[in-house]
Amino acid sequence: MLGEFELIRHYFAAAACARSGGEVVLGIGDDCALLQLPPGEQLAVSTDTLVAGVHFPDGCDPFLLGQRALAVATSDLAAMAAAPIGFTLALTLPSADPLWLGEFARGLDEMALACSMRLLGGDTTCGPLCLTVTVFGRVPAGQALTRHGARPGDLLCVGGVLGEGAAALPLVLGEQKAEPAVAEHLLARYWSPEPQLALGEALRGRASAALDISDGLLADCGHIARASGVRLVVEQSRLPLSPAAVALLGTAEAERCALAGGDDYLLAFTLPPAELPALLEAGWPLWPIGRVEAGQGVALVDTAGDEIRVTAHGYTHFG
Ligand code: ADP
Ligand code: MG
């Protein structure tokens, strides 16, 4: 039977992503990790918890779970325009199953390397399966992108095609089947979303507000509207719908996924219009989908500019 410390050593301390270096002066093995930030930089910190049966199905592939747990947490660094440093992992496990741990650690390690994230430490306990990932990043003082800088006249943009996370859900839960190419694409988007770290950094000093879409476009736009004291207008005709979601679910349902489905982990941001041409020219993936106005709340409008009533805005716990 694998003991706690043997488990930590074998699966986590020995992982490639657990090596010190960069800002990580001291990693796993002591009471704390030590980070050294370059002068003039601020530390960005965010925590995400994934609970079995709520955020992922019981019995799902541990390799994919490792990838997804780190990707969704790292996406918060992208949203703040922070450069990745590393993460801690608080792991609660029903048992120390070597097969499960090996695959989970492999998925985590692959995503960590893809995102330039180092494993800094964590905690390992016994109980119902639950993961908490805390991510750390760095950003030049005053240059983080927050939710509160949007101004009337700005454009509202997103960093990719919307709705794929939500469209993938029935496939993830085994409630629906799809053509192999469509299923493969959507499942990959769900299990290994790519945090838009490079886009976030490119938006530093340009975007006026940003976040990553985790709960649904309209719900998340509501956060920017509230924090900035403005009204966000989303033009239905400009939504970049996912071809895979349309193929699987049809246009109307793909649109619902784009507006109110969660799990996309793409950036949504507001941008003074003068900033748009240079970003497009540089080839950044971005789609203007609306604008910022004086007022409050989020409105969805049709091509005539008339407001469309929507019932579901996104996902909330306890809701
Ligand atoms: P302490 O008792 O001082 O809190 P622990 O015994 O919990 O420390 O952990 C020993 C070391 O292993 C620490 O450096 C901790 O950060 C690290 N660690 C524990 N669990 C994990 C994990 N799941 N992943 C990575 N590092 C871990
Ligand atoms: Mg200690």
Side-chain angles (χ1 to χ4, degrees):
M1 191 60 191
L2 207 57
E4 176 188 341
F5 296 104
E6 201 182 345
L7 182 164
I8 295 168
R9 247 194 326 275
H10 188 78
Y11 294 102
F12 300 110
C17 66
R19 281 189 213 120
S20 301
E23 298 82 8
V24 185
V25 181
L26 184 65
I28 294 178
D30 217 309
D31 290 307
C32 292
L34 295 174
L35 304 180
Q36 180 71 54
L37 288 195
E41 304 225 343
Q42 293 173 326
L43 186 64
V45 182
S46 169
T47 288
D48 274 299
T49 294
L50 302 187
V51 180
V54 177
H55 299 96
F56 57 91
D58 270 312
C60 74
D61 181 336
F63 173 84
L64 297 174
L65 181 60
Q67 290 212 316
R68 177 170 162 80
L70 182 56
V72 303
T74 302
S75 177
D76 286 322
L77 295 179
M80 297 291 288
I85 295 177
F87 64 105
T88 60
L89 170 69
L91 190 56
T92 302
L93 295 170
S95 67
D97 173 357
L99 243 151
W100 192 96
L101 278 161
E103 282 302 284
F104 175 78
R106 197 167 65 82
L108 195 75
D109 200 39
E110 270 196 21
M111 185 55 73
L113 297 177
C115 295
S116 304
M117 291 285 274
R118 294 170 191 266
L119 180 54
L120 306 171
D123 197 23
T124 307
T125 50
C126 187
L129 181 59
C130 179
L131 319 165
T132 295
V133 176
T134 301
V135 295
F136 301 85
R138 58 185 176 82
V139 62
Q143 289 191 34
L145 295 178
T146 66
R147 299 175 174 187
H148 60 247
R151 274 181 295 267
D154 288 347
L155 298 170
L156 172 64
C157 303
V158 291
V161 299
L162 299 165
E164 298 200 315
L169 202 57
L171 303 176
V172 170
L173 298 175
E175 294 169 356
Q176 202 167 350
K177 292 245 177 301
E179 267 177 57
V182 169
E184 199 179 309
H185 175 80
L186 291 176
L187 286 170
R189 290 283 297 123
Y190 181 88
W191 285 114
S192 46
E194 290 173 28
Q196 295 194 293
L197 290 160
L199 176 61
E201 288 191 52
L203 294 176
R204 264 188 210 159
R206 297 196 167 93
S208 50
L211 49 60
D212 64 321
I213 305 170
S214 53
D215 297 330
L217 176 72
L218 295 177
D220 286 318
C221 282
H223 297 315
I224 293 183
R226 215 168 298 115
S228 299
V230 295
R231 169 181 166 89
L232 262 48
V233 179
V234 176
E235 295 172 43
Q236 185 188 35
S237 63
R238 303 182 80 173
L239 291 172
L241 295 185
S242 150
V246 173
L248 180 65
L249 304 168
T251 305
E253 184 60 13
E255 195 164 83
R256 200 197 57 77
C257 289
L259 289 169
D263 289 330
D264 273 336
Y265 302 103
L266 295 166
L267 300 189
F269 51 96
T270 57
L271 195 67
E275 302 286 355
L276 184 66
L279 287 167
L280 287 174
E281 178 87 356
W284 290 107
L286 59 91
W287 282 260
I289 59 163
R291 60 188 184 275
V292 182
E293 293 180 349
Q296 58 183 13
V298 180
L300 178 68
V301 299
D302 62 20
T303 39
D306 293 329
E307 194 166 337
I308 302 165
R309 275 190 50 138
V310 268
T311 45
H313 280 233
Y315 184 83
T316 60
H317 291 272
F318 308 110

